[in-house]
Amino acid sequence: MKRILSLLLAVCLTVSLLAACGGKGGDPVANNKAEASTDKYRDYYQVWIGSFYDSNNDQIGDLPGVLSKLDYINDGDPNGGDDLGADGIWLSPMMPSQSYHKYNVRDYFNIDPDFGTLEDFDKLLAECHNRGVKVIIDLVLNHSGNDHEFFQKACEELREGKEDGYARYYNVSKTQDSTYNRPVMGSDYFYEGQFDSTMPDWNLSYQGTRDYFEKVAKFWLDKGVDGFRLDAIKHFKDKDTDGVEFMKWFYQMAQGYNPDVYMVGENWSESGDIYEMYDSGIDSQFNFKFAGNGGEFIVASHGMVADMATKLKKFDDNIKKHNEKAINANFLTNHDMLRLYNMLDEEDYKMAAALYMLAPGNTFTYYGE
Ligand SMILES: [Ca+2]
Ligand SMILES: [Ca+2]
Ligand SMILES: [Ca+2]
């Protein structure tokens, strides 16, 4: 009982510090619910499609599987049911790819056969929208797969010494260094692949790449996708762009197709880079500093709540200096991190969850947490 009281006390302390219910009394979330359908504030559920639910017994989770379990995420009735009540879903990468994680995209205009078809996606999207659930998809703009048609053609041309064709979509050089770090086999050239050899970095300064990305964004936004989770935005810095410029271009271009488009970026970085990237107008970036084991939410769960709330307020003030509409994106873990449940005392785990759920901004909950 003492434990429960201290939990309640700590939660109330945080809530009042964060001014979410400061002095109004009654249900602290009642006033926020009314606005939830018209603004960009959401509780997102991160679905890792390949391991979420398998609908056809091939041992791989798929889009029809997500559809069949939608009642669990949100049953469409905001006033009842034992669903999670998430009003947004982030779908992990689903475009055709050589890997299980699908962050090396071969074709930006389709669904990997492991996961289903474009028709399956349309059905899932329609049913989410029926329930008032927004859907954002993972979009990888830093690099493609090395089996992408453009990279394949670029390599063919580089083997013939031709630099002014498809090679312009990527970053290539005859001099190997820390940027141009991977050889194009059978040629004198090296290409930039920040993550691995299957992930050649796009040349984000090249107008041709941007024209291609515009087609990609239009394709998915025309389908009704509500926005994007953008991978590896820390690596958008390129020859003639500081990264912020590219992000700003992409955001504003996409807004031309959907003025309400929502974007959350993965900028696994120190605060300074994150603040700067908010200058681009991007809505959200994941708050890595507060996530994971050792992150501020976990530290606070052991009893340092007031300290965490002060830091969070400061962080929130700082991001809003760079974008007054910035919405912090809080989470505990994601697919790149260890699951915390087995590593923590259960009460601390629940406390950490309560803290990020109550923090200002959007929440992102990894499936299974
Ligand atoms: Ca399957
Ligand atoms: Ca419900
Ligand atoms: Ca890059």
Side-chain angles (χ1 to χ4, degrees), residues 14 18 20 297 308 312 328 330 353-363:
T14 312
L18 302 178
F297 290 127
M308 184 282 295
L312 194 60
N328 197 6
N330 293 303
L355 292 175
Y356 88 90
M357 283 282 169
L358 288 166
N362 285 347
T363 62

Side-chain angles (χ1 to χ4, degrees), residues 141-143 171 192 194-195 200-204 232-238:
L141 300 179
N142 180 64
H143 48 265
N171 291 319
E192 181 188 12
Q194 285 299 325
F195 290 92
D201 278 54
W202 286 104
N203 176 359
L204 302 179
I233 68 174
K234 180 184 172 180
H235 300 280
F236 283 177
K237 184 172 163 38
D238 215 329

Side-chain angles (χ1 to χ4, degrees), residues 82-100:
D82 57 359
D83 56 322
L84 295 171
D87 51 9
I89 292 177
W90 154 23
L91 290 173
S92 60
M94 60 187 181
M95 297 165 194
S97 165
Q98 61 193 288
S99 64
Y100 79 91

Side-chain angles (χ1 to χ4, degrees), residues 115-218:
F115 293 171
T117 63
L118 283 170
E119 288 69 38
D120 292 330
F121 177 76
D122 290 340
K123 269 188 218 164
L124 174 61
L125 186 62
E127 191 48 42
C128 286
H129 286 168
N130 278 343
R131 298 168 189 227
V133 175
K134 300 261 187 189
V135 176
I136 63 172
I137 63 169
D138 222 304
L139 186 60
V140 190
L141 300 179
N142 180 64
H143 48 265
S144 72
N146 63 342
D147 51 357
H148 189 284
E149 180 192 358
F150 290 5
F151 189 70
Q152 290 289 307
K153 286 183 174 170
C155 290
E156 277 169 33
E157 291 179 2
L158 288 169
R159 282 191 273 271
E160 291 159 11
K162 181 177 163 59
E163 290 180 27
D164 59 356
Y166 281 93
R168 291 174 297 176
Y169 285 101
Y170 297 90
N171 291 319
V172 301
S173 170
K174 280 188 173 172
T175 310
Q176 184 174 24
D177 61 21
S178 60
T179 300
Y180 305 99
N181 51 353
R182 314 212 180 249
V184 176
M185 293 304 173
S187 84
D188 300 332
Y189 291 91
F190 298 88
Y191 66 93
E192 181 188 12
Q194 285 299 325
F195 290 92
D196 72 39
S197 62
T198 69
M199 299 178 174
D201 278 54
W202 286 104
N203 176 359
L204 302 179
S205 307
Y206 176 48
Q207 187 58 42
T209 309
R210 296 190 183 197
D211 292 344
Y212 180 70
F213 285 172
E214 179 162 358
K215 284 183 197 151
V216 172
K218 182 177 187 306

Side-chain angles (χ1 to χ4, degrees), residues 74-75 77-78 80-81 83:
N74 188 324
D75 63 5
D77 173 9
D83 56 322

Side-chain angles (χ1 to χ4, degrees), residues 22 42 48 74 85 178 182 206 221 229 239 280-281 304 357:
R42 288 285 181 291
W48 188 259
N74 188 324
S178 60
R182 314 212 180 249
Y206 176 48
L221 292 170
R229 178 269 184 191
K239 276 178 286 199
S280 68
M304 305 287 284
M357 283 282 169

